[in-house]
Amino acid sequence: MPDTDVDLIHRYRPAVERSPLPTLLTVTGEHLVLYANPAFCGLPVVPSGTPAGVRFASLVHGAEALEALLDRVFRDGVTDVATDVAFACLEGRVIHGTAIVAPLLDERARQRGLVVQLLDTTEQVAVRAREAQAARDVKEANEKLIVAGIREQELAERAGQSATELRALLDVMSQGVTVFGATREVVLVNPAGREMLGLASERPTLDDYRRCDFRHLDGAPLDFEQEVLSRIVRGEPLAEEEVLLHLPDGAVRHIVLSGGAVRDARGQVALAMNLYRDVTQIRELEQVREQCMSFITHDLRSTMTAAMYAAEVIGMNRAGYDPQVLAGRIVRSLTRMDEMIRTLLDVQRIRAGHGLPLLLGACDLVAIAREVVDDLASFHDQRPVLRGAACLEGIWSAGELHRAIWNLASNALKYGATGAPVVITVEKASEHAVVAVHNEGPPIPAEDQARLFAPFVRTRAAMAGGQRGWGLGLTFVRGCAEAHGGRVTLVSDAERGTTFTLELPLDSRPHQRPS
């Protein structure tokens, strides 16, 4: 192996080896594998014991689809991403993933190869497939009900009963459903459909649909009657077409349209059925996740770059630079990287249902909170304030509780009212210890509160305000509370401000899972 390759492994291996993301390093324009971390070697698409030196495209079935991306990043030196790439497993099944490819630089910032990371998105792809299948199943079921009764005069009594059953079914459906006649008149619309499209009338007409501001994903206007309804009435199938719906209040919804014709016994189109489901929240979560992954990649690379630069200055023995100061910067950068990686690993454990591993011992919760206040006060004009008990001892994991309280307090400082104090209160309540972190400012909307503790979720206000964040801090806080046998709750409104409350038993030992 050339000396330059050895140097690259020595430089990058510590961070890559500990990364929870499957990661490998390649060299030269042939993309020869230089090193793969344990997470990558554990992928079901990678043969066990694969040696270094093979081309990336021949290492993983389906990786040839990434060759153009690898060539482009190697040529341009700019990080790029490929989404929804399919890889064939050794046992024959297929996994889906997102590939992040970045330049691999040597100690002189010269490009030697690539850093390739794979994110497993198989579960999300499977969820979308199940949703599509569910939509098809509902469509088929409704076609059978409609054909059975609505337009058959000789079965009028039975049709009336079927129509009642159909309406009852449609009333409880979360998908929007509209049934049009062969001459395009609106036969029925279920409540979910009226709400989704913003239709005020209980008996909408075709004119109401004409006034809906539908647009293609590129923003171009979409004529619902000509581009959707006419196709269905002609008997053409409409399958999973995503469009945008601009509502009068300025909100924009992502709507997936499906539909088909229902034919009578003579094969003539009797009814046209249009199904639509709101995937706005799914698209927002995907956008947030992509943004969070971009932040994670940027923060890890920035921290690594800072450490590399300080190490290079030490190696060149430049005059005017204190090696001890530079070494301190390297240690701080590596410590920060270690904290980032710990957060990713901890959240991965929480998502997998394994819980956080805790090192329990006797500690003072007030002392832990005071450390957090001291850490944050100098950077935030003494805004953090500690109140409550003078001492509150119990059996907990001091390190994890410090991280949890720090997450809550730093969020309060970041998103609370500018200049207003952030109050951390530590008290004993019955047989529990309670830590409350309160800030003034705009409340968190109810729709955000319901999903705020999930991974990669951020409030709409944080996204709109351009605040950087990973969307993982509150997931860790919840996992920390549950690992101690406690819980975390949230109260947020315009009158009282926002308060996150961490409630813990005084002794967490009985709540530990067997290792």
Side-chain angles (χ1 to χ4, degrees), residues 388-463:
C391 176
L392 182 50
E393 295 183 342
I395 307 298
W396 303 298
S397 173
E400 307 311 312
L401 289 181
H402 184 282
R403 292 169 63 195
I405 298 172
W406 189 93
N407 268 300
L408 294 176
S410 60
N411 279 351
L413 291 164
K414 185 188 299 185
Y415 301 114
T418 303
V422 169
V423 180
I424 302 175
T425 306
V426 182
E427 295 177 322
K428 181 179 178 182
S430 184
E431 294 303 312
H432 288 80
V434 177
V435 181
V437 180
H438 171 79
N439 66 271
E440 301 173 8
I444 300 173
E447 60 270 22
D448 285 336
Q449 294 184 35
R451 58 194 184 96
L452 203 55
F453 292 95
F456 301 106
V457 170
R458 304 182 66 211
T459 65
R460 291 171 175 82
M463 294 285 290

Side-chain angles (χ1 to χ4, degrees), residues 12-24:
Y12 285 94
R13 179 166 181 165
V16 172
E17 188 173 44
R18 290 180 295 174
S19 174
L21 302 178
T23 307
L24 60 75

Side-chain angles (χ1 to χ4, degrees), residues 185-222:
E185 76 278 12
V186 177
V187 176
L188 61 89
V189 186
N190 72 339
R194 293 195 300 271
E195 189 280 330
M196 204 175 297
L197 300 184
L199 303 176
S201 172
E202 294 222 356
R203 293 183 174 274
T205 66
L206 184 57
D207 285 336
D208 293 313
Y209 281 83
R210 292 183 179 124
R211 286 191 287 269
C212 289
D213 187 3
F214 286 105
R215 303 185 192 180
H216 294 282
L217 293 179
D218 61 3
L222 181 147

Side-chain angles (χ1 to χ4, degrees), residues 71-94:
D71 290 339
R72 185 166 63 253
V73 174
F74 187 86
R75 182 189 66 240
D76 300 335
V78 179
T79 300
D80 205 346
V81 177
T83 59
D84 201 16
V85 181
F87 301 98
C89 294
L90 299 177
E91 65 271 23
R93 66 187 180 90
V94 175

